[in-house]
Amino acid sequence: MTESVYKVIELIGTSKESWEKAAAAAVDRAGKTLRDLRVAEVVKLDLQLDAKGKVEAYRAKLNVSFKFED
């Protein structure tokens, strides 16, 4: 079996609708420039609020790993 090495990066996705869509947006965008994505781990969920304290956006912070190419 060949040994593998993976890099982990932190991403933050946003959505006006849900945390799930925020996480998906981050992974979708990363997939456009990174190959061989392996795991996305949600590490934090939070909300962006407007001046009146109402929800403006859902935010999901993820650790995403991808395999280094040989």
Side-chain angles (χ1 to χ4, degrees):
M1 181 173 146
T2 305
E3 294 179 4
S4 298
V5 176
Y6 299 88
K7 171 120 177 120
V8 177
I9 60 172
E10 183 177 81
L11 302 172
I12 298 173
T14 62
S15 167
K16 294 200 178 278
E17 298 177 31
S18 70
W19 282 302
E20 292 84 359
K21 288 187 178 185
V27 172
D28 288 345
R29 178 61 183 91
K32 292 179 180 178
T33 57
L34 300 172
R35 289 191 300 257
D36 218 356
L37 296 177
R38 294 300 176 122
V39 175
E41 174 189 15
V42 175
V43 295
K44 184 177 180 181
L45 300 173
D46 62 23
L47 300 167
Q48 182 178 344
L49 305 175
D50 67 12
K52 295 182 180 181
K54 296 199 179 202
V55 175
E56 268 190 343
Y58 296 85
R59 299 183 341 152
K61 184 184 287 187
L62 297 94
N63 287 337
V64 178
S65 66
F66 58 95
K67 186 176 178 183
F68 276 134
E69 294 182 8
D70 295 332

Short mmCIF file of all heavy atoms in Angstrom, two decimals:
data_model
loop_
_atom_site.label_atom_id
_atom_site.label_comp_id
_atom_site.label_asym_id
_atom_site.label_seq_id
_atom_site.Cartn_x
_atom_site.Cartn_y
_atom_site.Cartn_z
N MET A 1 0.84 -1.18 0.00
CA MET A 1 0.00 0.00 0.00
C MET A 1 0.88 1.25 0.00
O MET A 1 1.82 1.37 0.77
CB MET A 1 -0.90 -0.01 1.24
CG MET A 1 -1.81 1.16 1.30
SD MET A 1 -2.96 0.94 2.68
CE MET A 1 -3.14 2.60 3.17
N THR A 2 0.57 2.18 -0.85
CA THR A 2 1.31 3.43 -0.94
C THR A 2 0.88 4.36 0.18
O THR A 2 -0.30 4.48 0.49
CB THR A 2 1.03 4.11 -2.29
OG1 THR A 2 1.33 3.19 -3.33
CG2 THR A 2 1.85 5.36 -2.46
N GLU A 3 1.86 5.02 0.78
CA GLU A 3 1.54 5.99 1.81
C GLU A 3 0.96 7.24 1.17
O GLU A 3 1.34 7.61 0.06
CB GLU A 3 2.78 6.33 2.62
CG GLU A 3 3.29 5.15 3.42
CD GLU A 3 4.55 5.48 4.20
OE1 GLU A 3 5.00 6.64 4.19
OE2 GLU A 3 5.08 4.55 4.82
N SER A 4 0.06 7.92 1.87
CA SER A 4 -0.56 9.14 1.36
C SER A 4 -0.35 10.27 2.35
O SER A 4 -0.23 10.05 3.55
CB SER A 4 -2.05 8.92 1.15
OG SER A 4 -2.28 7.91 0.20
N VAL A 5 -0.34 11.47 1.82
CA VAL A 5 -0.24 12.67 2.63
C VAL A 5 -1.41 13.57 2.26
O VAL A 5 -1.72 13.75 1.08
CB VAL A 5 1.10 13.40 2.40
CG1 VAL A 5 1.16 14.70 3.17
CG2 VAL A 5 2.26 12.49 2.77
N TYR A 6 -2.03 14.16 3.27
CA TYR A 6 -3.18 15.02 3.06
C TYR A 6 -2.92 16.40 3.66
O TYR A 6 -2.26 16.51 4.69
CB TYR A 6 -4.44 14.43 3.70
CG TYR A 6 -4.80 13.10 3.09
CD1 TYR A 6 -4.25 11.93 3.60
CD2 TYR A 6 -5.64 13.02 2.00
CE1 TYR A 6 -4.56 10.70 3.04
CE2 TYR A 6 -5.94 11.79 1.43
CZ TYR A 6 -5.40 10.64 1.95
OH TYR A 6 -5.70 9.43 1.39
N LYS A 7 -3.43 17.41 3.03
CA LYS A 7 -3.37 18.78 3.55
C LYS A 7 -4.75 19.12 4.06
O LYS A 7 -5.75 18.75 3.46
CB LYS A 7 -2.97 19.74 2.43
CG LYS A 7 -3.08 21.18 2.81
CD LYS A 7 -1.76 21.86 2.69
CE LYS A 7 -1.91 23.34 3.00
NZ LYS A 7 -1.12 23.73 4.12
N VAL A 8 -4.80 19.85 5.17
CA VAL A 8 -6.07 20.30 5.74
C VAL A 8 -6.10 21.82 5.69
O VAL A 8 -5.15 22.49 6.12
CB VAL A 8 -6.24 19.82 7.19
CG1 VAL A 8 -7.54 20.35 7.79
CG2 VAL A 8 -6.21 18.30 7.26
N ILE A 9 -7.18 22.37 5.14
CA ILE A 9 -7.36 23.81 5.10
C ILE A 9 -8.67 24.17 5.80
O ILE A 9 -9.57 23.34 5.95
CB ILE A 9 -7.36 24.36 3.66
CG1 ILE A 9 -8.49 23.73 2.84
CG2 ILE A 9 -6.02 24.13 2.99
CD1 ILE A 9 -8.69 24.36 1.47
N GLU A 10 -8.76 25.42 6.23
CA GLU A 10 -9.97 25.91 6.88
C GLU A 10 -10.74 26.77 5.90
O GLU A 10 -10.16 27.64 5.23
CB GLU A 10 -9.59 26.72 8.11
CG GLU A 10 -10.77 27.20 8.91
CD GLU A 10 -10.33 27.93 10.16
OE1 GLU A 10 -9.98 29.13 10.04
OE2 GLU A 10 -10.32 27.31 11.22
N LEU A 11 -12.04 26.53 5.81
CA LEU A 11 -12.91 27.30 4.93
C LEU A 11 -14.11 27.80 5.72
O LEU A 11 -14.53 27.14 6.68
CB LEU A 11 -13.42 26.44 3.78
CG LEU A 11 -12.39 25.79 2.87
CD1 LEU A 11 -13.09 24.83 1.91
CD2 LEU A 11 -11.63 26.84 2.10
N ILE A 12 -14.66 28.93 5.31
CA ILE A 12 -15.91 29.41 5.88
C ILE A 12 -16.86 29.66 4.73
O ILE A 12 -16.57 30.44 3.82
CB ILE A 12 -15.71 30.71 6.69
CG1 ILE A 12 -14.76 30.46 7.85
CG2 ILE A 12 -17.06 31.24 7.19
CD1 ILE A 12 -14.37 31.71 8.61
N GLY A 13 -18.01 28.98 4.78
CA GLY A 13 -19.04 29.16 3.77
C GLY A 13 -20.19 29.95 4.36
O GLY A 13 -20.43 29.89 5.57
N THR A 14 -20.89 30.71 3.53
CA THR A 14 -22.04 31.48 3.99
C THR A 14 -23.26 31.20 3.13
O THR A 14 -23.15 30.84 1.96
CB THR A 14 -21.75 33.00 3.96
OG1 THR A 14 -21.50 33.40 2.62
CG2 THR A 14 -20.57 33.35 4.85
N SER A 15 -24.43 31.38 3.74
CA SER A 15 -25.69 31.23 3.03
C SER A 15 -26.74 32.07 3.73
O SER A 15 -26.71 32.22 4.95
CB SER A 15 -26.14 29.76 3.05
OG SER A 15 -27.48 29.64 2.63
N LYS A 16 -27.65 32.59 2.99
CA LYS A 16 -28.76 33.33 3.58
C LYS A 16 -29.88 32.39 4.02
O LYS A 16 -30.83 32.82 4.67
CB LYS A 16 -29.30 34.36 2.59
CG LYS A 16 -28.28 35.45 2.28
CD LYS A 16 -28.93 36.67 1.73
CE LYS A 16 -27.89 37.74 1.47
NZ LYS A 16 -27.55 38.50 2.66
N GLU A 17 -29.76 31.07 3.70
CA GLU A 17 -30.84 30.13 3.96
C GLU A 17 -30.59 29.15 5.10
O GLU A 17 -31.49 28.87 5.88
CB GLU A 17 -31.15 29.35 2.69
CG GLU A 17 -31.64 30.25 1.57
CD GLU A 17 -31.89 29.49 0.30
OE1 GLU A 17 -32.26 28.30 0.36
OE2 GLU A 17 -31.70 30.07 -0.78
N SER A 18 -29.36 28.56 5.19
CA SER A 18 -29.14 27.52 6.21
C SER A 18 -27.66 27.22 6.39
O SER A 18 -26.83 27.57 5.53
CB SER A 18 -29.85 26.22 5.81
OG SER A 18 -29.20 25.62 4.70
N TRP A 19 -27.34 26.57 7.51
CA TRP A 19 -25.96 26.14 7.75
C TRP A 19 -25.57 25.05 6.75
O TRP A 19 -24.43 25.00 6.31
CB TRP A 19 -25.79 25.62 9.18
CG TRP A 19 -25.69 26.71 10.19
CD1 TRP A 19 -24.76 27.71 10.23
CD2 TRP A 19 -26.53 26.91 11.32
NE1 TRP A 19 -24.98 28.52 11.32
CE2 TRP A 19 -26.06 28.05 12.01
CE3 TRP A 19 -27.64 26.22 11.82
CZ2 TRP A 19 -26.66 28.52 13.17
CZ3 TRP A 19 -28.23 26.70 12.98
CH2 TRP A 19 -27.74 27.84 13.64
N GLU A 20 -26.50 24.19 6.39
CA GLU A 20 -26.19 23.13 5.43
C GLU A 20 -25.78 23.72 4.09
O GLU A 20 -24.81 23.28 3.47
CB GLU A 20 -27.40 22.19 5.24
CG GLU A 20 -27.72 21.35 6.45
CD GLU A 20 -28.60 22.06 7.49
OE1 GLU A 20 -28.96 23.26 7.29
OE2 GLU A 20 -28.89 21.45 8.52
N LYS A 21 -26.49 24.73 3.64
CA LYS A 21 -26.15 25.38 2.37
C LYS A 21 -24.84 26.15 2.48
O LYS A 21 -24.08 26.24 1.51
CB LYS A 21 -27.28 26.27 1.89
CG LYS A 21 -28.47 25.45 1.41
CD LYS A 21 -29.53 26.30 0.79
CE LYS A 21 -30.65 25.38 0.29
NZ LYS A 21 -31.67 26.11 -0.45
N ALA A 22 -24.55 26.70 3.64
CA ALA A 22 -23.28 27.39 3.86
C ALA A 22 -22.11 26.41 3.74
O ALA A 22 -21.11 26.69 3.08
CB ALA A 22 -23.27 28.08 5.22
N ALA A 23 -22.26 25.24 4.37
CA ALA A 23 -21.20 24.23 4.30
C ALA A 23 -21.04 23.73 2.86
O ALA A 23 -19.92 23.58 2.36
CB ALA A 23 -21.52 23.06 5.24
N ALA A 24 -22.15 23.48 2.20
CA ALA A 24 -22.10 23.00 0.82
C ALA A 24 -21.45 24.03 -0.10
O ALA A 24 -20.69 23.68 -1.01
CB ALA A 24 -23.51 22.65 0.32
N ALA A 25 -21.71 25.32 0.14
CA ALA A 25 -21.11 26.37 -0.68
C ALA A 25 -19.60 26.36 -0.55
O ALA A 25 -18.87 26.52 -1.54
CB ALA A 25 -21.67 27.73 -0.28
N ALA A 26 -19.10 26.16 0.66
CA ALA A 26 -17.65 26.12 0.88
C ALA A 26 -17.03 24.93 0.14
O ALA A 26 -16.00 25.08 -0.54
CB ALA A 26 -17.34 26.04 2.37
N VAL A 27 -17.64 23.77 0.25
CA VAL A 27 -17.10 22.57 -0.41
C VAL A 27 -17.20 22.70 -1.93
O VAL A 27 -16.26 22.36 -2.65
CB VAL A 27 -17.82 21.30 0.09
CG1 VAL A 27 -17.42 20.08 -0.72
CG2 VAL A 27 -17.52 21.08 1.57
N ASP A 28 -18.32 23.21 -2.42
CA ASP A 28 -18.48 23.38 -3.87
C ASP A 28 -17.42 24.31 -4.43
O ASP A 28 -16.82 24.03 -5.46
CB ASP A 28 -19.86 23.93 -4.20
CG ASP A 28 -20.98 22.92 -4.01
OD1 ASP A 28 -20.68 21.71 -3.88
OD2 ASP A 28 -22.15 23.34 -3.96
N ARG A 29 -17.18 25.42 -3.73
CA ARG A 29 -16.18 26.38 -4.21
C ARG A 29 -14.77 25.79 -4.16
O ARG A 29 -13.98 25.95 -5.08
CB ARG A 29 -16.26 27.67 -3.38
CG ARG A 29 -15.23 28.71 -3.77
CD ARG A 29 -15.43 29.14 -5.23
NE ARG A 29 -14.42 30.08 -5.64
CZ ARG A 29 -13.25 29.74 -6.20
NH1 ARG A 29 -12.95 28.48 -6.42
NH2 ARG A 29 -12.40 30.67 -6.56
N ALA A 30 -14.45 25.08 -3.09
CA ALA A 30 -13.12 24.46 -2.97
C ALA A 30 -12.91 23.44 -4.08
O ALA A 30 -11.82 23.31 -4.63
CB ALA A 30 -12.96 23.79 -1.61
N GLY A 31 -13.97 22.72 -4.44
CA GLY A 31 -13.89 21.71 -5.48
C GLY A 31 -13.58 22.27 -6.86
O GLY A 31 -13.17 21.53 -7.76
N LYS A 32 -13.75 23.57 -7.04
CA LYS A 32 -13.46 24.18 -8.34
C LYS A 32 -11.96 24.39 -8.55
O LYS A 32 -11.52 24.50 -9.69
CB LYS A 32 -14.19 25.52 -8.47
CG LYS A 32 -15.69 25.34 -8.58
CD LYS A 32 -16.39 26.66 -8.70
CE LYS A 32 -17.90 26.42 -8.81
NZ LYS A 32 -18.66 27.66 -8.87
N THR A 33 -11.20 24.47 -7.47
CA THR A 33 -9.76 24.71 -7.61
C THR A 33 -8.89 23.62 -6.99
O THR A 33 -7.70 23.56 -7.28
CB THR A 33 -9.36 26.07 -7.00
OG1 THR A 33 -9.77 26.09 -5.63
CG2 THR A 33 -10.01 27.22 -7.75
N LEU A 34 -9.46 22.79 -6.14
CA LEU A 34 -8.70 21.71 -5.50
C LEU A 34 -9.19 20.37 -6.01
O LEU A 34 -10.40 20.17 -6.19
CB LEU A 34 -8.86 21.77 -3.98
CG LEU A 34 -8.39 23.03 -3.29
CD1 LEU A 34 -8.80 23.01 -1.83
CD2 LEU A 34 -6.89 23.19 -3.43
N ARG A 35 -8.26 19.45 -6.21
CA ARG A 35 -8.64 18.10 -6.66
C ARG A 35 -8.51 17.13 -5.50
O ARG A 35 -7.76 17.35 -4.55
CB ARG A 35 -7.73 17.65 -7.79
CG ARG A 35 -7.99 18.38 -9.08
CD ARG A 35 -7.27 17.72 -10.24
NE ARG A 35 -5.83 17.68 -10.03
CZ ARG A 35 -4.96 18.48 -10.61
NH1 ARG A 35 -5.38 19.39 -11.44
NH2 ARG A 35 -3.68 18.38 -10.37
N ASP A 36 -9.25 16.07 -5.60
CA ASP A 36 -9.15 14.95 -4.66
C ASP A 36 -9.52 15.34 -3.23
O ASP A 36 -8.83 14.98 -2.28
CB ASP A 36 -7.74 14.34 -4.70
CG ASP A 36 -7.77 12.83 -4.57
OD1 ASP A 36 -8.86 12.27 -4.37
OD2 ASP A 36 -6.70 12.22 -4.66
N LEU A 37 -10.61 16.12 -3.09
CA LEU A 37 -11.12 16.43 -1.75
C LEU A 37 -11.52 15.13 -1.07
O LEU A 37 -12.10 14.24 -1.69
CB LEU A 37 -12.33 17.36 -1.82
CG LEU A 37 -12.09 18.75 -2.40
CD1 LEU A 37 -13.41 19.50 -2.47
CD2 LEU A 37 -11.07 19.51 -1.61
N ARG A 38 -11.22 15.01 0.21
CA ARG A 38 -11.47 13.75 0.92
C ARG A 38 -12.50 13.87 2.02
O ARG A 38 -13.46 13.12 2.08
CB ARG A 38 -10.16 13.21 1.52
CG ARG A 38 -9.15 12.80 0.48
CD ARG A 38 -9.73 11.70 -0.38
NE ARG A 38 -8.84 11.33 -1.44
CZ ARG A 38 -8.39 10.11 -1.64
NH1 ARG A 38 -8.74 9.14 -0.84
NH2 ARG A 38 -7.59 9.86 -2.66
N VAL A 39 -12.30 14.80 2.95
CA VAL A 39 -13.17 14.91 4.12
C VAL A 39 -13.44 16.38 4.40
O VAL A 39 -12.54 17.20 4.30
CB VAL A 39 -12.52 14.26 5.36
CG1 VAL A 39 -13.36 14.48 6.61
CG2 VAL A 39 -12.29 12.78 5.15
N ALA A 40 -14.68 16.69 4.75
CA ALA A 40 -15.03 18.04 5.22
C ALA A 40 -15.66 17.88 6.59
O ALA A 40 -16.64 17.17 6.75
CB ALA A 40 -15.99 18.71 4.25
N GLU A 41 -15.05 18.51 7.58
CA GLU A 41 -15.52 18.42 8.96
C GLU A 41 -16.02 19.80 9.39
O GLU A 41 -15.28 20.78 9.37
CB GLU A 41 -14.37 17.99 9.87
CG GLU A 41 -14.72 18.01 11.33
CD GLU A 41 -13.51 17.77 12.22
OE1 GLU A 41 -12.36 17.86 11.74
OE2 GLU A 41 -13.72 17.52 13.40
N VAL A 42 -17.29 19.87 9.78
CA VAL A 42 -17.83 21.12 10.30
C VAL A 42 -17.30 21.31 11.71
O VAL A 42 -17.51 20.45 12.57
CB VAL A 42 -19.37 21.12 10.28
CG1 VAL A 42 -19.91 22.38 10.93
CG2 VAL A 42 -19.90 20.96 8.86
N VAL A 43 -16.60 22.41 11.95
CA VAL A 43 -16.01 22.65 13.27
C VAL A 43 -16.72 23.77 14.03
O VAL A 43 -16.58 23.85 15.26
CB VAL A 43 -14.50 22.94 13.18
CG1 VAL A 43 -13.76 21.72 12.68
CG2 VAL A 43 -14.20 24.14 12.32
N LYS A 44 -17.47 24.62 13.33
CA LYS A 44 -18.16 25.70 14.02
C LYS A 44 -19.30 26.22 13.16
O LYS A 44 -19.16 26.34 11.94
CB LYS A 44 -17.19 26.84 14.32
CG LYS A 44 -17.77 27.97 15.12
CD LYS A 44 -16.70 29.02 15.43
CE LYS A 44 -17.30 30.15 16.24
NZ LYS A 44 -16.29 31.19 16.53
N LEU A 45 -20.41 26.53 13.79
CA LEU A 45 -21.54 27.16 13.13
C LEU A 45 -21.81 28.48 13.84
O LEU A 45 -21.80 28.53 15.08
CB LEU A 45 -22.79 26.28 13.21
CG LEU A 45 -22.70 24.89 12.59
CD1 LEU A 45 -23.95 24.09 12.91
CD2 LEU A 45 -22.50 24.99 11.09
N ASP A 46 -22.02 29.54 13.07
CA ASP A 46 -22.40 30.80 13.69
C ASP A 46 -23.30 31.59 12.74
O ASP A 46 -23.60 31.14 11.64
CB ASP A 46 -21.18 31.61 14.15
CG ASP A 46 -20.25 32.02 13.02
OD1 ASP A 46 -20.68 32.09 11.87
OD2 ASP A 46 -19.08 32.30 13.31
N LEU A 47 -23.74 32.74 13.22
CA LEU A 47 -24.65 33.58 12.45
C LEU A 47 -24.06 34.97 12.28
O LEU A 47 -23.43 35.50 13.20
CB LEU A 47 -25.99 33.72 13.18
CG LEU A 47 -26.76 32.44 13.46
CD1 LEU A 47 -27.87 32.71 14.45
CD2 LEU A 47 -27.32 31.88 12.17
N GLN A 48 -24.30 35.55 11.13
CA GLN A 48 -23.95 36.95 10.91
C GLN A 48 -25.24 37.73 11.13
O GLN A 48 -26.29 37.41 10.57
CB GLN A 48 -23.44 37.15 9.49
CG GLN A 48 -23.02 38.56 9.19
CD GLN A 48 -22.48 38.69 7.78
OE1 GLN A 48 -22.15 37.70 7.13
NE2 GLN A 48 -22.39 39.90 7.30
N LEU A 49 -25.16 38.76 11.99
CA LEU A 49 -26.35 39.53 12.35
C LEU A 49 -26.29 40.94 11.78
O LEU A 49 -25.20 41.51 11.63
CB LEU A 49 -26.47 39.61 13.87
CG LEU A 49 -26.47 38.26 14.60
CD1 LEU A 49 -26.46 38.49 16.10
CD2 LEU A 49 -27.63 37.40 14.17
N ASP A 50 -27.47 41.51 11.51
CA ASP A 50 -27.51 42.90 11.05
C ASP A 50 -27.52 43.83 12.27
O ASP A 50 -27.45 43.38 13.42
CB ASP A 50 -28.70 43.15 10.12
CG ASP A 50 -30.06 43.03 10.80
OD1 ASP A 50 -30.13 42.97 12.06
OD2 ASP A 50 -31.07 42.99 10.08
N ALA A 51 -27.63 45.13 12.05
CA ALA A 51 -27.57 46.12 13.13
C ALA A 51 -28.72 45.97 14.13
O ALA A 51 -28.59 46.38 15.28
CB ALA A 51 -27.58 47.53 12.54
N LYS A 52 -29.82 45.35 13.71
CA LYS A 52 -30.97 45.16 14.60
C LYS A 52 -30.97 43.79 15.27
O LYS A 52 -31.90 43.43 15.96
CB LYS A 52 -32.26 45.36 13.82
CG LYS A 52 -32.43 46.77 13.32
CD LYS A 52 -33.75 46.94 12.58
CE LYS A 52 -33.88 48.37 12.09
NZ LYS A 52 -35.15 48.58 11.39
N GLY A 53 -29.91 43.00 15.03
CA GLY A 53 -29.82 41.68 15.65
C GLY A 53 -30.55 40.58 14.91
O GLY A 53 -30.70 39.48 15.42
N LYS A 54 -30.97 40.83 13.70
CA LYS A 54 -31.64 39.81 12.89
C LYS A 54 -30.62 39.05 12.06
O LYS A 54 -29.59 39.60 11.67
CB LYS A 54 -32.69 40.45 11.99
CG LYS A 54 -33.80 41.09 12.79
CD LYS A 54 -35.02 41.31 11.97
CE LYS A 54 -36.05 41.93 12.89
NZ LYS A 54 -37.39 41.75 12.44
N VAL A 55 -30.92 37.81 11.78
CA VAL A 55 -30.00 36.95 11.03
C VAL A 55 -29.85 37.45 9.59
O VAL A 55 -30.85 37.59 8.88
CB VAL A 55 -30.49 35.48 11.03
CG1 VAL A 55 -29.59 34.62 10.15
CG2 VAL A 55 -30.56 34.93 12.44
N GLU A 56 -28.62 37.73 9.22
CA GLU A 56 -28.30 38.10 7.83
C GLU A 56 -27.80 36.90 7.05
O GLU A 56 -28.09 36.75 5.88
CB GLU A 56 -27.21 39.18 7.81
CG GLU A 56 -27.73 40.57 7.80
CD GLU A 56 -26.62 41.59 7.54
OE1 GLU A 56 -25.43 41.28 7.68
OE2 GLU A 56 -26.98 42.72 7.18
N ALA A 57 -26.98 36.06 7.73
CA ALA A 57 -26.41 34.91 7.03
C ALA A 57 -26.01 33.83 8.03
O ALA A 57 -25.69 34.12 9.18
CB ALA A 57 -25.19 35.33 6.22
N TYR A 58 -26.07 32.60 7.55
CA TYR A 58 -25.58 31.44 8.30
C TYR A 58 -24.14 31.20 7.84
O TYR A 58 -23.84 31.31 6.66
CB TYR A 58 -26.42 30.20 7.97
CG TYR A 58 -27.85 30.33 8.41
CD1 TYR A 58 -28.80 30.95 7.59
CD2 TYR A 58 -28.27 29.85 9.64
CE1 TYR A 58 -30.12 31.09 7.99
CE2 TYR A 58 -29.58 29.98 10.05
CZ TYR A 58 -30.51 30.59 9.22
OH TYR A 58 -31.80 30.73 9.63
N ARG A 59 -23.26 30.88 8.80
CA ARG A 59 -21.86 30.64 8.45
C ARG A 59 -21.43 29.28 9.01
O ARG A 59 -21.76 28.94 10.15
CB ARG A 59 -20.95 31.73 9.02
CG ARG A 59 -21.29 33.08 8.46
CD ARG A 59 -20.40 34.21 8.90
NE ARG A 59 -19.62 33.97 10.09
CZ ARG A 59 -18.45 34.54 10.34
NH1 ARG A 59 -17.92 35.38 9.48
NH2 ARG A 59 -17.80 34.29 11.45
N ALA A 60 -20.71 28.53 8.20
CA ALA A 60 -20.19 27.23 8.61
C ALA A 60 -18.68 27.22 8.39
O ALA A 60 -18.21 27.50 7.29
CB ALA A 60 -20.83 26.11 7.81
N LYS A 61 -17.94 26.95 9.46
CA LYS A 61 -16.48 26.83 9.36
C LYS A 61 -16.15 25.35 9.23
O LYS A 61 -16.63 24.54 10.02
CB LYS A 61 -15.80 27.40 10.60
CG LYS A 61 -14.27 27.39 10.51
CD LYS A 61 -13.62 27.88 11.79
CE LYS A 61 -13.78 29.37 11.95
NZ LYS A 61 -13.01 29.90 13.09
N LEU A 62 -15.35 25.02 8.22
CA LEU A 62 -15.01 23.62 7.94
C LEU A 62 -13.51 23.42 7.85
O LEU A 62 -12.80 24.33 7.41
CB LEU A 62 -15.60 23.18 6.59
CG LEU A 62 -17.10 23.18 6.43
CD1 LEU A 62 -17.55 24.48 5.84
CD2 LEU A 62 -17.51 22.05 5.54
N ASN A 63 -13.06 22.25 8.23
CA ASN A 63 -11.73 21.78 7.92
C ASN A 63 -11.90 20.80 6.77
O ASN A 63 -12.65 19.83 6.88
CB ASN A 63 -11.07 21.08 9.11
CG ASN A 63 -10.65 22.04 10.18
OD1 ASN A 63 -10.44 23.22 9.93
ND2 ASN A 63 -10.52 21.56 11.40
N VAL A 64 -11.24 21.08 5.67
CA VAL A 64 -11.37 20.26 4.46
C VAL A 64 -10.00 19.66 4.13
O VAL A 64 -9.00 20.39 4.12
CB VAL A 64 -11.89 21.09 3.28
CG1 VAL A 64 -11.97 20.26 2.01
CG2 VAL A 64 -13.26 21.68 3.62
N SER A 65 -9.97 18.37 3.86
CA SER A 65 -8.69 17.74 3.51
C SER A 65 -8.71 17.32 2.06
O SER A 65 -9.74 16.98 1.49
CB SER A 65 -8.40 16.53 4.41
OG SER A 65 -9.32 15.50 4.18
N PHE A 66 -7.51 17.36 1.47
CA PHE A 66 -7.33 16.87 0.11
C PHE A 66 -5.97 16.20 0.02
O PHE A 66 -5.05 16.51 0.78
CB PHE A 66 -7.48 17.99 -0.93
CG PHE A 66 -6.53 19.14 -0.76
CD1 PHE A 66 -5.34 19.19 -1.47
CD2 PHE A 66 -6.83 20.17 0.11
CE1 PHE A 66 -4.48 20.25 -1.32
CE2 PHE A 66 -5.99 21.26 0.26
CZ PHE A 66 -4.80 21.29 -0.45
N LYS A 67 -5.87 15.28 -0.91
CA LYS A 67 -4.65 14.47 -1.05
C LYS A 67 -3.62 15.21 -1.88
O LYS A 67 -3.94 15.78 -2.92
CB LYS A 67 -5.00 13.15 -1.71
CG LYS A 67 -3.86 12.17 -1.78
CD LYS A 67 -4.33 10.85 -2.36
CE LYS A 67 -3.18 9.87 -2.48
NZ LYS A 67 -3.61 8.63 -3.10
N PHE A 68 -2.38 15.23 -1.39
CA PHE A 68 -1.28 15.76 -2.18
C PHE A 68 -1.04 14.84 -3.38
O PHE A 68 -1.07 13.61 -3.24
CB PHE A 68 0.02 15.84 -1.37
CG PHE A 68 0.14 17.08 -0.54
CD1 PHE A 68 0.55 16.98 0.78
CD2 PHE A 68 -0.11 18.33 -1.07
CE1 PHE A 68 0.69 18.11 1.55
CE2 PHE A 68 0.03 19.48 -0.29
CZ PHE A 68 0.42 19.36 1.01
N GLU A 69 -0.81 15.43 -4.53
CA GLU A 69 -0.52 14.62 -5.71
C GLU A 69 0.92 14.17 -5.71
O GLU A 69 1.80 14.85 -5.20
CB GLU A 69 -0.81 15.43 -6.98
CG GLU A 69 -2.27 15.75 -7.14
CD GLU A 69 -2.55 16.52 -8.42
OE1 GLU A 69 -1.64 16.66 -9.26
OE2 GLU A 69 -3.68 16.95 -8.58
N ASP A 70 1.15 13.01 -6.29
CA ASP A 70 2.51 12.48 -6.39
C ASP A 70 3.29 13.19 -7.46
O ASP A 70 2.82 13.74 -8.38
CB ASP A 70 2.48 10.98 -6.72
CG ASP A 70 1.85 10.20 -5.58
OD1 ASP A 70 1.94 10.66 -4.43
OD2 ASP A 70 1.27 9.14 -5.85
#
